[in-house]
Amino acid sequence: MVNAPSVELLNPMSVRVRIAPSPTGNLHIGTARTAVFNWLFAHHHGGQFILRIEDTDIERSRPEFTQNILDGLTWLGLSWDEGPFYQSKRMDLYKTAVQKLLDSGHAYRCYVTEDELNNLRASQEAKGQAPRYDNRHRDLTPEQEKALQDEGRIPVIRFKIADSREIVWNDLVRGTVNWRGSDLGGDMVIARRAPATEIGQPLYNFVVVVDDVDMGITQVIRGEDHVANTAKQLLIYEALGDSVPDFAHTPLILSPAGKKLSKRDGVTSIFDFKDMGYLPEAMVNYMTLLGWSPPDSTQEQFTLDEAAKVFSFERVNKAGAKFDWDKLNWLNSQYIHNLDNADLTDRLIPFWEKAGFEIDEASDRPWLEQVALLVGQSLMRLDEAGEMCRYLFDETLGYSDSATQHLQQEGVAPVLKAVLSTLEGTDLKEKDDAQTLIKTVTKSEGVKKGLVMKSLRAALTCDLKGPDLVDSWLLLHQKGLDQKRLQMAIAIAESA
Ligand code: GLU
């Protein structure tokens, strides 16, 4: 049996955990959520959170993905205490460790060719067996090895996995986990093909162990999809003679339909959420709840620091966590509604710009803050402010069908003309000024207030629904846009 770590942390004061993303894509929500759990655990125990970039897959790793991962973690507030460390810069360390396993007889060179492996797989498949390497080069004599080398074969290095081995560990989330050596696919490749005088590029399951040992990792917290890797890695710890960390396998994030969340579900990369107008505070809060609940399960809104105080693996679920858009949206709206208005304005500016509005912050800041104040409480996501505020920014905005229909009703043109002429002699600064003007026109035209309000809304905002009318009017007035719109609306009304 492999030394099974206790569910009780042996040395909680020196907790060192890590997030180890592979830069083969943008920061994914699953990786980000794993980072959240690591961060919470580290901060709960006053430990260290380490960032390691697993970029050994040279073909698929790209610097722009690394940058996206660093930026994404930073955006979410998941600050790391050490790193980023790059595996690509640590090859010598791994090769030394491979050599150690070759020397101790835990690893060996395997000369089986790709063709031979394909044939083996095909014959296993034909017999309905799971594909596995049959360990055929495990016990080659030096003469046999020499003969294979003379054929020009280039070997990989494999790590021996005894079929009879039982592998058991106490997972911090899943409790006792059991694996059999025979379920691990035969002796595993730990280094790629290279001439027998060299050591080829060491591979994932091996370098992870070397790094976790070298970096003094005390708990490996990662997604449930790594359970089989853990079984293999435990054997490597043992062969290297290193002490074994605790393991915590966190539940996967599932689509709303309960399937594994994939690219097909649309949004999976963290910056997609940013572009959709989710706040980082809401995102981390939501991700914390994806698979964990606080001791007071009625509490849904908290900061990372607050969650860290009460975080433990006892309250992490084993079952997959379904992604719930409604909950994320609700949380996001709460965070938006609680923002200080200057902060909200800062965050809205990029979304207004994205909607195509020209923003001159130096001259418009007070006006922009008033716009933010007007719409902030109705926003669920920041990006909604683009369409919601278009009537305030876009001088070329056309009238909606419903607005046009209303404007063309009988009696609307005289009302708007009366508004326009009264407006010319009015200093429109406060809400009261607008209310007084509306009252004056209602009286002078002998119409219902409702008609004046609806006509004004149609004329000023180009639509029949939207944020508060009087506030909108004051904002349009500051830009001189109310008179222009009234004139346009009168022209439409009269063209009926
Ligand atoms: N590089 C692995 C991944 O991105 C993570 C490995 C680990 O956490 O041990 O899935």
Side-chain angles (χ1 to χ4, degrees), residues 241-314:
D242 291 312
S243 63
V244 177
D246 294 326
F247 285 91
H249 289 92
T250 56
L252 296 183
I253 302 175
L254 305 176
S255 71
K259 303 259 164 57
K260 191 177 169 190
L261 197 70
S262 73
K263 290 233 165 70
R264 284 186 300 280
D265 294 298
V267 200
T268 51
S269 120
I270 284 300
F271 280 122
D272 290 343
F273 289 94
K274 180 183 183 211
D275 293 344
M276 285 170 75
Y278 290 102
L279 304 190
E281 304 92 309
M283 276 311 290
V284 278
N285 189 153
Y286 179 65
M287 287 191 287
T288 304
L289 291 169
L290 272 174
W292 177 77
S293 56
D296 170 7
S297 57
T298 58
Q299 194 195 356
E300 299 200 289
Q301 236 181 298
F302 35 73
T303 62
L304 275 174
D305 284 327
E306 286 163 354
K309 285 204 180 89
V310 292
F311 184 82
S312 79
F313 281 107
E314 270 151 42

Side-chain angles (χ1 to χ4, degrees), residues 112-233:
V112 179
T113 64
E114 290 305 322
D115 279 349
E116 287 167 344
L117 284 174
N118 288 340
N119 291 341
L120 176 64
R121 222 167 283 138
S123 80
Q124 285 165 339
E125 250 166 54
K127 285 184 236 155
Q129 295 167 348
R132 68 195 309 276
Y133 172 59
D134 59 5
N135 304 343
R136 68 177 75 160
H137 283 183
R138 188 191 273 186
D139 297 308
L140 295 176
T141 62
E143 294 73 32
Q144 287 170 318
E145 248 197 283
K146 169 94 178 41
L148 290 164
Q149 285 166 12
D150 289 346
E151 282 176 33
R153 293 178 180 233
I154 308 288
V156 296
I157 297 173
R158 286 189 186 264
F159 174 73
K160 292 180 188 169
I161 298 179
D163 278 357
S164 57
R165 277 304 299 264
E166 216 193 311
I167 303 147
V168 184
W169 74 91
N170 274 332
D171 197 281
L172 296 178
V173 176
R174 314 179 71 77
T176 305
V177 182
N178 286 286
W179 277 78
R180 279 201 316 256
S182 54
D183 292 333
L184 296 177
D187 293 345
M188 100 172 133
V189 181
I190 57 171
R192 288 198 180 169
R193 290 187 192 281
T197 48
E198 295 168 24
I199 289 173
Q201 193 199 323
L203 294 177
Y204 164 71
N205 267 313
F206 182 73
V207 300
V208 164
V209 174
V210 176
D211 275 341
D212 285 341
V213 169
D214 186 63
M215 295 174 186
I217 300 302
T218 50
Q219 283 78 24
V220 172
I221 302 163
R222 59 187 172 196
E224 185 195 308
D225 46 338
H226 285 287
V227 167
N229 288 332
T230 298
K232 294 175 183 172
Q233 291 172 17

Side-chain angles (χ1 to χ4, degrees), residues 44-63:
H44 181 82
H45 292 286
Q48 305 291 304
F49 174 50
I50 294 155
L51 172 59
R52 182 169 79 221
I53 301 293
E54 304 211 319
D55 56 350
T56 51
D57 185 342
I58 303 157
E59 284 102 62
R60 289 172 60 227
S61 297
R62 298 230 204 97

